């Protein structure tokens, strides 16, 4: 076997400017078709309407470009969140927690298994100065589904979980236990073909399915917990 190697000189270029030019902002429409939320990098212009969420993704998931993040953001725009307690499991960049906080949710807790994701989320709060006066109600913590064991029953009005299907199934009992009666559970991170399997896990915990949305083959399930 032989190995061939080629060498060439690459012209000097502003690689950061190149990256910025190829990194578009994301606009998520609300139920009425308006620009409900813009998820953008710090170098993009401030949007004229809707929520303005600034994200520097570093190495974490959740820029808004992926279909699941888009679906979850759209679902949050459709919920009354002012004064509601929101949990963002698998928070990544913290984008969903930031959306919830900007819509008036408090307290908001973001949890991720990766330490770097937690640091990234905390850094992103600083990129959104309108949140800083109330940032003590917006907390990010490292953990996984076992972190919910210390949470009391019925402590969350809304739980967001944009994670792998198998993790969602395993943690469904914890979601159901910590969700308030009448509260909403938003699930994504899986393909449309996985909806049936997750429906079974939802039914086992006594939760109800309100709606299923899809985008580019991915799905988002909006569930709710009946009042006792």
């Amino acid at each position: 076997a032989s190995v061939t190697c080629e060498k060439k000189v690459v012209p000097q270029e502003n690689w950061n400017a190149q990256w910025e030019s190829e990194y578009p902002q994301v606009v998520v429409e609300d139920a009425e078709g308006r620009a409900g939320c813009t998820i953008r990098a710090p170098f993009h212009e401030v949007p004229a309407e809707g929520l303005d969420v600034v994200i520097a993704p570093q190495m974490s998931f959740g820029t808004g470009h992926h279909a699941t993040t888009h679906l979850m953001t759209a679902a949050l725009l459709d919920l009354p969140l002012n004064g509601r307690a929101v949990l963002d499991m698998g928070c990544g960049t913290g984008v969903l927690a930031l959306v919830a906080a900007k819509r008036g949710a408090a307290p908001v807790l973001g949890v991720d298994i990766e330490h770097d994701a937690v640091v990234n989320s905390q850094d992103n709060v600083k990129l959104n100065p309108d949140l800083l006066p109330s940032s003590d109600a917006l907390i990010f913590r490292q953990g996984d589904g076992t972190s919910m064991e210390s949470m009391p029953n019925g402590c969350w009005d809304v739980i967001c979980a944009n994670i792998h299907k198998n993790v969602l199934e395993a943690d469904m009992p914890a979601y159901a236990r910590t969700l308030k009666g009448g509260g909403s559970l938003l699930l994504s991170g899986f393909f449309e073909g996985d909806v049936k399997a997750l429906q079974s896990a939802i039914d086992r915990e006594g939760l109800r399915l309100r709606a299923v949305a899809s985008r580019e083959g991915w799905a988002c399930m909006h569930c709710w917990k009946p009042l006792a």
Side-chain angles (χ1 to χ4, degrees):
S2 62
V3 177
T4 302
C5 179
E6 287 187 12
K7 181 173 69 173
K8 65 178 180 178
V9 177
V10 178
Q12 182 65 32
E13 186 174 345
N14 185 334
W15 296 109
N16 190 61
Q18 177 70 16
W19 173 74
E20 290 184 3
S21 69
E22 297 175 351
Y23 186 87
Q25 62 185 13
V26 176
V27 178
V28 181
E29 295 181 343
D30 59 20
E32 298 179 0
R34 298 174 301 191
C37 176
T38 298
I39 303 170
R40 64 180 180 91
F43 50 78
H44 289 130
E45 293 184 4
V46 177
E49 61 178 342
L51 295 182
D52 177 28
V53 179
V54 184
I55 294 290
Q58 298 175 22
M59 296 298 290
S60 303
F61 176 83
T63 61
H65 294 84
H66 196 276
T68 59
T69 313
H70 194 287
L71 288 165
M72 293 286 276
T73 301
L76 284 174
L77 292 177
D78 200 34
L79 286 176
L81 294 181
N82 194 43
R84 304 292 178 90
V86 175
L87 172 65
D88 179 10
M89 289 297 295
C91 63
T93 61
V95 58
L96 298 179
L98 293 172
V99 170
K102 289 194 176 230
R103 294 207 58 233
V108 178
L109 172 63
V111 178
D112 200 283
I113 195 171
E114 298 289 343
H115 170 74
D116 288 347
V118 174
V119 174
N120 190 185
S121 297
Q122 293 168 337
D123 289 342
N124 284 333
V125 174
K126 299 172 186 176
L127 296 177
N128 294 268
D130 53 325
L131 289 176
L132 291 178
S134 59
S135 59
D136 56 339
L138 175 57
I139 300 170
F140 294 97
R141 181 184 305 161
Q142 186 175 4
D144 56 17
T146 61
S147 303
M148 303 184 74
E149 294 176 1
S150 61
M151 297 177 186
N153 295 345
C155 59
W156 302 109
D157 294 291
V158 178
I159 298 176
C160 304
N162 186 8
I163 320 178
H164 188 275
K165 164 185 169 286
N166 294 342
V167 176
L168 295 177
E169 289 181 313
D171 292 345
M172 199 69 69
Y175 301 152
R177 181 184 66 79
T178 58
L179 189 64
K180 293 180 181 180
S184 293
L185 171 63
L186 305 178
L187 304 172
S188 195
F190 50 90
F191 295 109
E192 291 178 86
D194 295 322
V195 168
K196 185 176 180 180
L198 282 165
Q199 175 74 68
S200 297
I202 291 164
D203 291 343
R204 283 195 298 271
E205 300 306 322
L207 301 174
R208 300 288 182 267
L209 179 63
R210 176 162 288 156
V212 178
S214 60
R215 183 181 179 88
E216 300 171 4
W218 297 86
C220 175
M221 303 175 75
H222 180 181
C223 314
W224 64 284
K225 182 176 181 177
L227 293 169

